[in-house]
Amino acid sequence: STRDTELAGHQKDAGCCDPTSTPHRFLALLFMCLLGFGSYFCYDNPGALQDVFQKELQLSSTEFTLIYSIYSWPNIVLCFVGGFLIDRVFGIRLGTIIYMLIVLVGQLIFATGGVLGHFWLMIVGRFVFGIGAESLAVAQNSYAVLWFKGKEINMVFGLQLSVARFGSTVNFWIMQPLYGYVSKSYSGYKGLGVALFLASSTCVMSLVCTLILGWMDKRAERILKRNNNPGGELAKLSDIVTFKLDFWMVSVVCVAYYVAIFPFVALGQAFFVSNFHMTPDEANTVNSIVYLISAIASPLFGFVIDKVGRNVTWVFCATISTLLAHFLLTFTHLDPYIGMSIMGLSYSMLAASLWPLVSLIVPEYQLGTAYGFCQSVQNLGLAVVTIAAGIIVDSSGGSHFWLQVFFMSFLLVSLLATCAIWAYNRKHQGNLNMSPAQRATYHTSIAMQCRHMNRRPLLGNYVQ
């Protein structure tokens, strides 16, 4: 438009309408964060209503964990492909809209299965929901790097996690009361289905935010004449084999750390009821502490990490403190709020420091593929571990002791992978554990070397 053309020529005076201005970028960030709210809210609907699911649908712990594991199974492959499709086929805007629509359809199928009392249909719905939700997370990460790389990237990842986990927290707060209200009019599994239908309204809100963000990004691309791939390289699925050891170790951390968080929260209600003799409502409250604290602490940790850098050190500290939290919950009788608060702070610290590492390792034109692979291997771990967790609880007569030991063993693997990242980065003089000032110097040096390499042949031809 004429207005956009004028902005392109007068960006310094355009104020909040200028895509490079801080107010405009943070308005885009608001929609980036909210586009994931609905999927995270609905993801943990079963966790908030675990007692209702098992009672009304007559499910064992193993069958209940299938609701979570079936979410992860398709994404072992499709999440990686979804990231590639963003890089090569759909583009970030269309890809995000498609994935958000799939999330909404999946949640509606899940709710329909609840109303009809058909567990198999609910599983189909979660399968479809999972196809969209994890690819949507890849798109969300790609948007963050596109708008904020080199500026407030750690804080942005923290804020995205904050809003997402706030969605999970709100779910744990309101789904039990919502079901209680709905069950006055609809008894049994029908009340469960109606409550799930009401929860799907959060996905509609996220879809609206996705459309608005797509419009803002298209406008910014036109005004700024943005070129995210000046070299003209095309992303290929085979690019994954060219990624270096530090990327693979980041992927290991993605699996080993998160399988000690998400399956624990999914089965957390039963854990706190049996180990600390709480009611389901009390168990949900303490179970939601991880997400509540991360909603507050993630952007704060991101802001601090933007200022001090040293991402690998932060990942190491987060893993150690999460191990401590699980130890306190398993081997002591301290108030569970203490262990869960430590876990929430640790989770926030890791998310704000780990995910930005990918953008420091992989070129921008491969980011969708890289983030998609990280999500894929994470979902492989979650799919297997969630089923294993249910089997461990059932075979232990409802005891969670060996399950906690199981989770802590994965945190030790995460710790070893973090040490490998640090050692590899130190050996190759990488920038993963540098301060921001050191990274700026590092990138300037790399850019000068590239210019020098490009000029040498031209100079030689001139002399000849």
Side-chain angles (χ1 to χ4, degrees):
S1 68
T2 305
R3 173 62 177 158
D4 291 343
T5 305
E6 291 173 358
L7 281 175
H10 302 89
Q11 287 181 14
K12 291 184 179 179
D13 302 321
C16 64
C17 295
D18 174 13
T20 63
S21 70
T22 299
H24 191 90
R25 288 187 300 111
F26 275 82
L27 179 62
L29 176 60
L30 174 65
F31 293 114
M32 281 179 217
C33 294
L34 290 177
L35 72 85
F37 183 93
S39 67
Y40 278 92
F41 181 94
C42 293
Y43 171 80
D44 270 318
N45 285 168
L49 297 172
Q50 181 179 354
D51 58 328
V52 178
F53 271 81
Q54 292 190 272
K55 177 185 175 183
E56 301 298 344
L57 299 172
Q58 299 179 342
L59 306 178
S60 67
S61 293
T62 303
E63 289 172 323
F64 175 76
T65 57
L66 181 62
I67 296 172
Y68 280 95
S69 63
I70 199 67
Y71 167 97
S72 299
W73 281 115
N75 291 298
I76 295 169
V77 175
L78 292 179
C79 203
F80 175 42
V81 175
F84 170 77
L85 291 175
I86 289 173
D87 283 339
R88 186 73 180 267
V89 182
F90 297 144
I92 189 170
R93 294 186 290 272
L94 179 59
T96 307
I97 293 169
I98 290 172
Y99 298 144
M100 189 63 241
L101 283 170
I102 293 173
V103 167
L104 177 58
V105 170
Q107 177 66 13
L108 292 175
I109 295 172
F110 184 60
T112 303
V115 169
L116 299 176
H118 295 330
F119 183 61
W120 67 267
L121 185 58
M122 299 183 81
I123 292 300
V124 171
R126 286 290 280 192
F127 184 88
V128 175
F129 181 86
I131 291 173
E134 290 300 298
S135 294
L136 181 67
V138 173
Q140 192 177 29
N141 290 338
S142 298
Y143 259 131
V145 175
L146 182 62
W147 281 72
F148 291 94
K149 185 176 182 181
K151 297 182 178 73
E152 308 92 351
I153 186 66
N154 294 285
M155 185 185 71
V156 166
F157 272 95
L159 277 169
Q160 285 187 337
L161 175 68
S162 174
V163 175
R165 289 313 170 199
F166 184 67
S168 296
T169 303
V170 173
N171 158 74
F172 278 105
W173 284 348
I174 73 170
M175 286 307 293
Q176 278 280 355
L178 179 63
Y179 172 75
Y181 177 78
V182 168
S183 62
K184 294 176 182 177
S185 303
Y186 301 91
S187 60
Y189 55 75
K190 288 187 178 179
L192 174 62
V194 171
L196 294 174
F197 266 117
L198 293 174
S200 67
S201 62
T202 59
C203 292
V204 176
M205 179 274 294
S206 290
L207 177 61
V208 172
C209 293
T210 301
L211 294 171
I212 295 172
L213 180 61
W215 173 80
M216 291 181 68
D217 188 71
K218 184 174 183 178
R219 175 178 176 274
E221 184 177 73
R222 182 173 64 248
I223 293 173
L224 302 177
K225 297 179 174 59
R226 193 166 57 197
N227 184 3
N228 305 318
N229 185 15
E233 298 95 337
L234 292 176
K236 303 183 292 293
L237 287 175
S238 58
D239 287 344
I240 196 69
V241 300
T242 66
F243 293 163
K244 297 179 181 178
L245 180 65
D246 47 2
F247 172 80
W248 295 106
M249 289 299 101
V250 167
S251 300
V252 171
V253 176
C254 286
V255 176
Y257 183 88
Y258 281 91
V259 298
I261 301 292
F262 292 161
F264 171 76
V265 173
L267 295 170
Q269 186 190 79
F271 171 75
F272 291 112
V273 168
S274 62
N275 283 39
F276 295 93
H277 311 293
M278 294 179 168
T279 66
D281 279 342
E282 292 171 338
N284 273 347
T285 300
V286 70
N287 202 27
S288 68
I289 286 294
V290 171
Y291 295 155
L292 175 61
I293 290 179
S294 68
I296 300 169
S298 295
L300 299 178
F301 275 117
F303 177 79
V304 172
I305 296 169
D306 276 326
K307 299 298 181 184
V308 304
R310 312 291 181 187
N311 289 56
V312 180
T313 301
W314 288 98
V315 172
F316 183 85
C317 293
T319 307
I320 289 286
S321 52
T322 306
L323 193 58
L324 172 64
H326 274 285
F327 182 88
L328 292 176
L329 291 168
T330 307
F331 297 106
T332 74
H333 296 288
L334 289 174
D335 190 317
Y337 280 94
I338 297 174
M340 294 299 283
S341 296
I342 295 173
M343 190 180 297
L345 289 170
S346 306
Y347 173 60
S348 306
M349 188 189 307
L350 180 121
S353 55
L354 177 69
W355 292 101
L357 287 177
V358 177
S359 66
L360 296 173
I361 296 170
V362 177
E364 282 192 28
Y365 76 95
Q366 295 175 328
L367 276 177
T369 304
Y371 279 120
F373 180 81
C374 287
Q375 298 280 145
S376 293
V377 295
Q378 185 185 89
N379 277 282
L380 172 61
L382 289 172
V384 174
V385 169
T386 305
I387 290 178
I391 293 173
I392 290 170
V393 173
D394 282 340
S395 61
S396 302
S399 171
H400 286 70
F401 175 81
W402 289 111
L403 180 60
Q404 287 297 97
V405 173
F406 184 61
F407 289 147
M408 286 187 278
S409 67
F410 276 103
L411 288 170
L412 291 175
V413 173
S414 176
L415 200 61
L416 291 173
T418 305
C419 293
I421 294 170
W422 180 86
Y424 182 88
N425 181 72
R426 184 177 177 85
K427 178 180 179 181
H428 293 273
Q429 298 180 335
N431 66 336
L432 303 186
N433 208 36
M434 289 181 177
S435 68
Q438 290 172 328
R439 279 184 188 146
T441 303
Y442 175 85
H443 288 303
T444 301
S445 175
I446 294 294
M448 290 179 64
Q449 289 178 16
C450 290
R451 283 197 295 268
H452 180 67
M453 293 290 292
N454 290 336
R455 289 167 60 185
R456 285 180 63 186
L458 294 175
L459 183 60
N461 291 339
Y462 177 77
V463 171
Q464 289 175 356

